[in-house]
Amino acid sequence: MIETGGWLPVSILATSGLVGIVIFFLDEPRHRTRNFLNIFAALAKIVLVAIAIGGYVEGEEYEARFAFVLEFDLLLRVDAVSLLFAGLSSVLWLLTTIYAIGYLEDSPHRSRFFGFFSICVTATMGIAFAGNLITFVLFYELLTIATYPLVVHRGSEEALAAGRTYLIYTLGGGTALLVGVVWLHTIAGPIEFGPGGVLEQAASGNSWELRVIFAVLIGSLGVKAALVPLHGWLPVAMVAPAPVSALLHAVAVVKAGAFGIVRVVHYVYGSDFADSLNLLLPLAIIASITIVFGSLRALAQDDIKRRLAFSTVSQLSYITLGVAIVGPIAAVGALVHLVHQGVMKVTLFFCAGNLAETLGIHNVSELDGVARRMPVTMTAFTIGGLGMIGLPPIAGFISKWHLGLGAMEADFAWVIVILATSSLLNAAYFFPPIYAAWFKTPQVEYPPAPGRLETSWMLLVPAAATALMSFLAGALAGVPYSPLDIAELVAEVVYPP
Amino acid sequence: MNEALILVPFTPFALAVLIALAPPLRPVLRRLVPVSAVPAILTPILVGTIETADIPWFLLGTQVGLDTTGQVFLFFSGLLWALAGWYGVSYLAHDEHDYRFQAFYLLAMSGNLGLIVAQDLVMFYAAFGLMTFSSAGVIVHDATRFAVRATTLYVILSIVGEFLLLVGLFQVAMAAGSIAFADVPGALAAAGDRHITIALLFAGFGIKAGLPFVHIWLPLAHPAAPTPASAVLSGVMIKAGLLGWIRFLPAGEANFPEWGWICIALGLTGAFGGVVLGLVQTSPKANLAYSSISQMGLITVGLGLGFLEAAAWPAVLTALAVFALHHGLAKGTLFLAVGVAGTVARSEPARWATMAGVALAVLALAGAPFTSGMVAKGLLKENLPVTGDWYGTLSWVISFSSVATALLLTRFAFLLRREMRTLKHEPAPGMAVPWALVIVATASMAWLAPVMFDLDAAAGTAISLPKLWDATWPLLVALPIAWLAWRQRRILADIVGSIPPGDVSVIEERVFRRVIQPGTYQTGIFVGQASLQWNTFMRQVAAVIASDWAGRTELQLASWRYLGTILLGAMVGFVLLLWWTP
């Protein structure tokens, strides 16, 4: 049943969910109404999430519980880590919506697009606030399905093929996830997330079974989290329109996987318990392989979006790596990177979209001198790229610092080498486009800017805003309510001092 | 109030952002470039030392403060940044990309000043990175083939440096359990794996400081940059490497004889190797870059003395600070002279005046009597270990380095004189005044700084006959050699130019270009092909299972409007149903 405070998570989901339905039935030309609804809902969601953050810090509890089939409950609950994810998603949803309105101006099927777009965010919020495994699975599957129409939005042969690949991978993963959850249920009963893990009390003794289940859960979540070798769908799915890529890579799909891994390790198994089952070292190794693999692959890509996609493969595993290292500092690194990677990567995809939409540039080799024509976009790209390398004072550094220090604390000195190698490789694939854009002479005459701005303000403002956020999240990491501050709050809950 | 120290690096940063964002104001803002360094000059003079203050909101919670070493560094760095910036306002007045240069110049300045006021390792590292990578933007400025090659090498070495530093930083932060400089060197001295950490930090900062074997970027980058940027690169930015050593390394905490001798050996290699390689250069700026490597070698020897004898560290620290100030200003004078020389080509008196200024700085670097060089070298020699046979030898060796420097810089004056005859630039008014001020500072600051900043520099500033003789004889040795070389210049012409600037970089670049770069790229491609095959395999497996199913799904999704609604409707219905069920 819904307690008084339970209305909050429910209404956070409802803002986008209801708008999604209304938009489905709006006729195509009614773009004013559609845009107003979208923006209004996005703003309302930000306000609600802000209220939830304020209340949670004050000690309020928000929980909505409904009886579901059998002895399962549908449970929406506000806790620290859900706020981290919801805060990220709600802010980036607003910016991505503005961007998408600008990007898809005058293109067909916008009602379909924005309808599913809203459902996507609803599902993401559901994943954030899910208080037990079964609720998590439900929204996780909803997300899979709601994203498919976005991936194939263009309807081209290539897009449909990408959509097929996407479905095969993610539905396969989803099925395995369900198997894992049901299996876990048979030995431990309904699992509600609890900080520090709940399995140690519920099901100790079945260590081999628990190990296999862990592998199944991580393997299935690893599809969306793009762990090598399950990452194949991600670079293919970048044929989707830029706002979808931005959403996919920063907020919704891949983040849902990474967030799921956080939930499983810290809120189901508990990192100490998982470590005592010897599960975390293999996870750290897989994450490390993925980090280096993704960067190596990114190096050889000329297509900007493909390069960014492989960069996502690599960067996402920073989160997994941080989860796999026992200790509060590494946990902070993982959690804060959940936010930082999102903000930085969304910036980069916005910029890639701006280049493609304004000048028709899709490849790194075409970037020569483009900064003269699009200085704001390339400034944002530069900030995002340098942040990915992990250069201070941009957000990426804060993540890398905590991961490295956490690794030292846990005596995983080899992780430092992985992190440093990854920085090196990141530099190797981000510096050339940055250099080409700012310092080389253009190969072709670029068409002049349409107005005073280099491109539509709806494309420019979101990119500039997220770039600024990437910068501030790093430079002002010490401020209350910064991503780092909230990540530290979560780490305190997971590892009580 | 102490937190306000952060405004010193923030001022140039804010100006850079303004220049980037407000094109209409640029003609006014560019004139403020030198002004933005004024707080850095005035703070150490007017405020003195500043106790460490916490700035909890910045980065990971940072600390700023100004100790005596910081005072000296902030003062001479601010001075050179301001005067070179002033010089740059004229130098780049007609440059197509003037504003880009000014913005990068300001960012590098901000980083440089920031790392001086930083009192914790995260802010130091952040500011160091800002300085390093922003200065790439000024080095590549002219975008000639040479500049691009120099910048590429610089950036690669800088990234390697960052890599070494980062690993070292993690280790040292872990050992100290804190990021404050107050805790770092002590914890490092006691840490179990300290030698690895020391090696990483020593090499990481050594790349910046022009340590032999990792110096190769320096003779390329310093000449490639526009002249005002060369001056700050060689004058102050390489000193950031020295400051890194001072802040992080545990010299003074305990005796580390092995590191002492490593520093002395590498330092002397740099001091003499730099001169040898510099003598055969044909460009005045390359000559100066090698001279910087040579002078930083002496500074490295000084650091070694601190490692040898913990008790001597406070005095060594003073010597290093004064040496850095002396070399920064004198080298700034010489680099800026290259630009001035180009503009005075047609006036004989101006040419002589220029050569007089150059002569003053050359004499200072050669440690001639009554110059800043005599003060700096006097302080350095004062700290040679008093026991053991090495004392006399080292003292002689340092004096001989003055002979070498005198020869190298005489060659510079010769090259500059030749350049004056060939260059036909329009005179740019506004470069002479800041340059003259740098000369005045070079002549006076080694004497004034100990008074202003309350340093115990008596060993350097005291005048006595043996000391004057000590400072004079290297010049007397150098003069006849220089004269002889000039007489025999036809014979020597074959040697000159035989080693290109960047010396071994030619080999290292070949290794990079032939092995490392294609290797990494090929690995990427190979991994790609392997993963492509894996994908094909997966797709085949999945296709068998799911092709039919996926096809049907697509058909159903064609009626998206209904599917989406059904999906959500089902969920909402579910929830409502369950809610009303008791």
Side-chain angles (χ1 to χ4, degrees):
Chain A
M1 292 308 311
I2 297 185
E3 308 288 325
T4 29
W7 282 109
L8 198 57
V10 173
S11 41
I12 288 174
L13 262 69
T15 42
S16 47
L18 295 177
V19 163
I21 298 182
V22 174
I23 287 177
F24 276 136
F25 289 94
L26 276 182
D27 286 331
E28 200 56 37
R30 300 189 57 185
H31 53 91
R32 269 172 190 280
T33 321
R34 192 169 51 229
N35 293 350
F36 170 77
L37 280 173
N38 265 323
I39 302 286
F40 176 77
L43 286 172
K45 191 190 292 289
I46 290 180
V47 171
L48 290 171
V49 172
I51 292 174
I53 292 177
Y56 178 83
V57 173
E58 296 287 307
E60 297 272 341
E61 284 181 15
Y62 305 105
E63 184 179 303
R65 185 187 294 271
F66 316 94
F68 192 43
V69 286
L70 304 174
E71 72 267 61
F72 292 111
D73 283 340
L74 268 186
L75 178 60
L76 294 176
R77 182 156 58 190
V78 174
D79 67 358
V81 70
S82 62
L83 286 174
L84 198 67
F85 191 28
L88 169 80
S89 308
S90 57
V91 171
L92 293 192
W93 185 43
L94 173 67
L95 293 170
T96 314
T97 305
I98 296 173
Y99 188 85
I101 291 171
Y103 193 89
L104 295 174
E105 212 162 29
D106 301 325
S107 74
H109 306 305
R110 274 177 291 170
S111 277
R112 177 181 76 189
F113 182 86
F114 283 105
F116 280 109
F117 203 70
S118 298
I119 297 183
C120 229
V121 173
T122 311
T124 308
M125 289 292 164
I127 290 169
F129 290 116
N132 58 20
L133 268 177
I134 202 71
T135 316
F136 183 89
V137 171
L138 211 67
F139 284 108
Y140 194 82
E141 289 301 295
L142 177 66
L143 179 64
T144 303
I145 295 165
T147 316
Y148 173 79
L150 300 179
V151 174
V152 300
H153 181 75
R154 292 221 170 99
S156 64
E157 198 50 49
E158 198 191 0
L160 287 172
R164 246 189 322 271
T165 311
Y166 169 75
L167 270 189
I168 291 169
Y169 270 93
T170 50
L171 285 178
T175 315
L177 180 64
L178 191 64
V179 170
V181 169
V182 171
W183 191 354
L184 194 58
H185 173 77
T186 59
I187 60 171
I191 301 288
E192 276 186 25
F193 298 138
V198 293
L199 279 188
E200 195 165 5
Q201 295 84 17
S204 55
N206 301 307
S207 57
W208 270 111
E209 225 173 330
L210 285 176
R211 280 183 192 130
V212 176
I213 294 171
F214 187 84
V216 171
L217 290 177
I218 296 294
S220 52
L221 292 165
V223 173
K224 278 196 180 140
L227 287 178
V228 169
L230 306 165
H231 66 286
W233 62 275
L234 187 58
V236 182
M238 61 92 215
V239 297
V244 177
S245 301
L247 192 80
L248 236 64
H249 283 262
V251 192
V253 179
V254 296
K255 271 306 149 55
F259 184 75
I261 293 176
V262 172
R263 281 291 195 200
V264 167
V265 172
H266 282 304
Y267 287 79
V268 177
Y269 277 72
S271 70
D272 287 322
F273 184 54
D275 194 39
S276 71
L277 294 174
N278 297 323
L279 291 168
L280 293 186
L281 184 63
L283 186 59
I285 291 170
I286 292 173
S288 301
I289 291 172
T290 309
I291 288 173
V292 176
F293 171 92
S295 291
L296 277 174
R297 290 283 282 135
L299 210 55
Q301 308 302 325
D302 189 35
D303 186 312
I304 300 172
K305 282 176 82 183
R306 266 183 80 81
R307 186 174 287 204
L308 293 180
F310 278 109
S311 158
T312 303
V313 172
S314 169
Q315 291 280 336
L316 263 182
S317 276
Y318 278 41
I319 303 172
T320 313
L321 181 64
V323 170
I325 299 170
V326 182
I329 305 179
V332 169
L335 294 161
V336 82
H337 202 56
L338 199 77
V339 177
H340 288 165
Q341 187 270 348
V343 180
M344 295 188 296
K345 190 46 69 69
V346 96
T347 309
L348 292 168
F349 269 107
F350 284 160
C351 295
N354 284 1
L355 292 170
E357 195 62 11
T358 316
L359 302 175
I361 292 177
H362 295 97
N363 293 326
V364 175
S365 51
E366 300 167 282
L367 282 176
D368 293 2
V370 77
R372 268 173 243 183
R373 169 68 179 74
M374 302 187 75
V376 178
T377 301
M378 286 321 294
T379 304
F381 187 90
T382 305
I383 292 179
L386 296 183
M388 286 293 177
I389 298 169
L391 290 180
I394 303 163
F397 169 71
I398 305 290
S399 317
K400 196 167 75 175
W401 178 257
H402 284 92
L403 290 173
L405 215 54
M408 288 298 292
E409 192 188 44
D411 265 338
F412 279 13
W414 57 271
V415 167
I416 306 281
V417 178
I418 298 287
L419 287 176
T421 308
S422 168
S423 299
L424 220 60
L425 290 170
N426 268 275
Y429 65 80
F430 274 121
F431 270 130
I434 291 172
Y435 169 74
W438 289 101
F439 292 99
K440 283 194 178 169
T441 329
Q443 300 162 335
V444 289
E445 185 100 0
Y446 293 120
R452 281 190 59 228
L453 294 172
E454 60 199 51
T455 181
S456 152
W457 70 268
M458 281 190 284
L459 301 184
L460 207 54
V461 169
T466 50
L468 188 67
M469 281 157 62
S470 311
F471 180 79
L472 293 181
L476 302 184
V479 171
Y481 298 103
S482 72
L484 179 66
D485 188 45
I486 300 187
E488 280 173 344
L489 199 76
V490 179
E492 265 172 42
V493 177
V494 181
Y495 293 98
Chain B
M1 261 316 282
N2 294 354
E3 296 90 332
L5 193 55
I6 193 92
L7 292 177
V8 168
F10 184 72
T11 311
F13 186 88
L15 189 59
V17 173
L18 276 181
I19 285 182
L21 293 182
L25 295 177
R26 282 173 183 174
V28 184
L29 293 173
R30 70 190 295 279
R31 301 197 165 273
L32 295 177
V33 170
V35 181
S36 68
V38 168
I41 307 172
L42 293 183
T43 308
I45 302 178
L46 300 180
V47 190
T49 55
I50 297 175
E51 275 199 36
T52 301
D54 283 313
I55 303 182
W57 48 267
F58 188 60
L59 288 170
L60 298 163
T62 197
Q63 295 180 326
V64 292
L66 205 59
D67 55 359
T68 310
T69 312
Q71 256 185 313
V72 178
F73 271 82
L74 192 59
F75 173 73
F76 80 77
S77 304
L79 195 62
L80 199 59
W81 277 105
L83 293 175
W86 183 356
Y87 181 101
V89 170
S90 304
Y91 187 90
L92 288 131
H94 304 294
D95 192 289
E96 190 191 349
H97 299 296
D98 170 52
Y99 301 114
R100 188 179 71 191
F101 176 88
Q102 303 295 359
F104 278 118
Y105 184 87
L106 286 164
L107 288 176
M109 185 201 300
S110 171
N112 195 170
L113 303 179
L115 66 89
I116 296 171
V117 300
Q119 287 299 331
D120 71 279
L121 52 84
V122 172
M123 176 157 168
F124 189 98
Y125 175 73
F128 194 82
L130 178 65
M131 181 188 81
T132 299
F133 291 107
S134 308
S135 47
V138 298
I139 295 170
V140 78
H141 183 78
D142 290 335
T144 55
R145 274 182 67 111
F146 180 67
V148 170
R149 173 166 161 246
T151 312
T152 311
L153 197 66
Y154 170 70
V155 169
I156 289 173
L157 270 171
S158 298
I159 293 173
V160 172
E162 292 277 309
F163 176 99
L164 299 174
L165 283 184
L166 189 68
V167 179
L169 284 190
F170 282 133
Q171 293 181 340
V172 83
M174 205 62 223
S178 146
I179 58 171
F181 279 145
D183 308 321
V184 163
L188 185 53
D193 53 357
R194 56 182 176 271
H195 291 300
I196 300 172
T197 313
I198 294 174
L200 286 166
L201 294 170
F202 181 66
F205 287 122
I207 289 179
K208 181 67 68 192
L211 210 58
F213 308 112
V214 285
H215 68 281
I216 48 168
W217 64 274
L218 212 141
L220 290 166
H222 291 199
T227 299
S230 316
V232 283
L233 271 165
S234 228
V236 290
M237 283 198 245
I238 53 174
K239 307 298 188 307
L242 166 66
L243 194 64
W245 285 341
I246 293 176
R247 296 286 195 224
F248 286 84
L249 297 180
E253 298 289 333
N255 293 346
F256 291 93
E258 58 286 67
W259 284 105
W261 290 116
I262 289 174
C263 285
I264 291 172
L266 278 174
L268 292 177
T269 310
F272 289 96
V275 169
V276 171
L277 292 171
L279 276 171
V280 298
Q281 300 303 315
T282 51
S283 124
K285 276 178 161 187
N287 172 301
L288 289 182
Y290 277 107
S291 160
S292 290
I293 293 169
S294 161
Q295 295 292 311
M296 289 307 284
L298 289 180
I299 283 183
T300 314
V301 171
L303 179 73
L305 300 179
F307 268 127
L308 282 184
E309 208 32 72
W313 179 242
V316 169
L317 197 53
T318 306
L320 289 176
V322 172
F323 206 111
L325 172 135
H326 140 73
H327 175 249
L329 294 172
K331 194 49 66 68
T333 305
L334 293 183
F335 265 110
L336 295 183
V338 177
V340 173
T343 64
V344 296
R346 270 175 275 181
S347 139
E348 191 65 22
R351 248 192 259 178
W352 280 109
T354 309
M355 287 317 285
V358 168
L360 183 105
V362 169
L363 286 173
L365 285 168
F370 304 110
T371 62
S372 58
M374 186 187 79
V375 180
K377 287 189 181 168
L379 281 168
L380 202 61
K381 283 186 179 173
E382 188 63 20
N383 289 298
L384 292 174
V386 277
T387 51
D389 306 332
W390 278 98
Y391 171 72
T393 318
L394 264 183
S395 179
W396 274 95
V397 169
I398 290 177
S399 292
F400 267 111
S401 86
S402 293
V403 176
T405 299
L407 287 174
L408 178 60
L409 294 177
T410 310
R411 164 104 182 124
F412 165 76
F414 171 79
L415 289 172
L416 191 71
R417 183 94 190 129
R418 198 168 68 182
E419 196 118 305
M420 274 186 193
R421 296 203 195 99
T422 54
L423 281 177
K424 293 272 186 302
H425 284 198
E426 282 302 303
M431 274 154 58
V433 179
W435 186 58
L437 289 176
V438 184
I439 296 172
V440 171
T442 308
S444 60
M445 276 314 155
W447 307 91
L448 291 179
V451 184
M452 290 195 301
F453 306 124
D454 204 15
L455 303 172
D456 180 16
T461 49
I463 307 283
S464 65
L465 268 183
K467 231 182 110 190
L468 286 178
W469 171 244
D470 206 31
T472 312
W473 72 257
L475 295 175
L476 298 180
V477 175
L479 268 179
I481 302 180
W483 180 78
L484 214 70
W486 190 73
R487 286 293 303 266
Q488 303 298 328
R489 60 188 182 277
R490 295 245 163 72
I491 301 170
L492 293 176
D494 288 343
I495 310 172
V496 162
S498 57
I499 302 177
D503 51 273
V504 284
S505 75
V506 181
I507 303 165
E508 292 176 34
E509 271 176 290
R510 208 166 287 162
V511 172
F512 180 78
R513 216 161 266 142
R514 298 252 169 94
V515 184
I516 299 180
Q517 201 176 28
T520 325
Y521 191 76
Q522 286 302 330
T523 319
I525 297 209
F526 170 77
V527 171
Q529 278 162 353
S531 84
L532 207 66
Q533 275 163 13
W534 167 260
N535 281 354
T536 320
F537 171 72
M538 285 285 282
R539 210 169 290 145
Q540 278 163 357
V541 172
V544 175
I545 305 167
S547 59
D548 194 21
W549 175 89
R552 257 184 290 139
T553 317
E554 258 174 62
L555 274 182
Q556 284 157 8
L557 283 172
S559 53
W560 53 272
R561 183 174 278 182
Y562 299 100
L563 180 87
T565 313
I566 290 164
L567 214 64
L568 255 193
M571 300 244 349
V572 173
F574 235 156
V575 169
L576 290 179
L577 197 72
L578 294 165
W579 188 14
W580 274 296
T581 336

